[in-house]
């Protein structure tokens, strides 16, 4: 088994911030009636897709592993950007998702 290289972690973190940020920007635009925010959110989502797909991995392995980073960043955005209360069961779910991402990444090829 090989560990996930540091570059891949940086790509996953950057892609997750772009994807969650894009979703959050679109959400803000829709709720505030601001077309510019919606367009900016769409640009962020496109940037996420371009970044995450730079890794030369099989698509299923790539996104199967990325989902764990995305899930964690999503909950952190909800907590710290939108000031949402995150129940303990959500943290348990995130731990399960991250364990699943590790299985996808480190499993047999």
């Amino acid at each position: 088994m090989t560990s996930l290289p540091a570059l891949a972690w940086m790509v996953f973190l950057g892609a997750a911030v772009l994807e969650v940020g894009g979703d959050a920007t679109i959400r803000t635009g829709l709720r505030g009636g601001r077309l510019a925010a919606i367009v900016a959110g769409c640009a962020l989502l496109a940037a996420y897709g371009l970044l995450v797909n730079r890794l030369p991995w099989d698509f299923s392995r790539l996104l199967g592993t990325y989902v764990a980073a995305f899930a964690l960043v999503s909950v952190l955005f909800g907590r710290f950007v939108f000031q949402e209360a995150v129940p303990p069961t959500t943290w348990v779910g995130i731990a399960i998702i991250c364990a699943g991402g590790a299985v996808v990444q480190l499993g047999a090829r």
Side-chain angles (χ1 to χ4, degrees), residues 7-88:
L7 176 61
W9 282 117
M10 291 188 302
V11 168
F12 285 159
L13 179 60
V17 168
L18 287 169
E19 185 176 11
V20 174
D23 287 337
T25 302
I26 289 172
R27 180 182 183 94
T28 300
L30 288 172
R31 291 187 174 184
R34 296 185 305 232
L35 180 59
I38 295 168
V39 171
C42 290
L44 289 169
L45 290 174
Y48 137 75
L50 292 169
L51 178 60
V52 78
N53 284 290
R54 298 295 300 161
L55 293 174
W57 297 354
D58 293 339
F59 188 76
S60 59
R61 179 176 169 229
L62 171 70
L63 289 186
T65 305
Y66 167 70
V67 162
F70 171 75
L72 180 59
V73 170
S74 296
V75 172
L76 292 173
F77 253 71
R79 173 66 186 97
F80 295 108
V81 174
F82 292 108
Q83 304 302 310
E84 298 170 350
V86 180

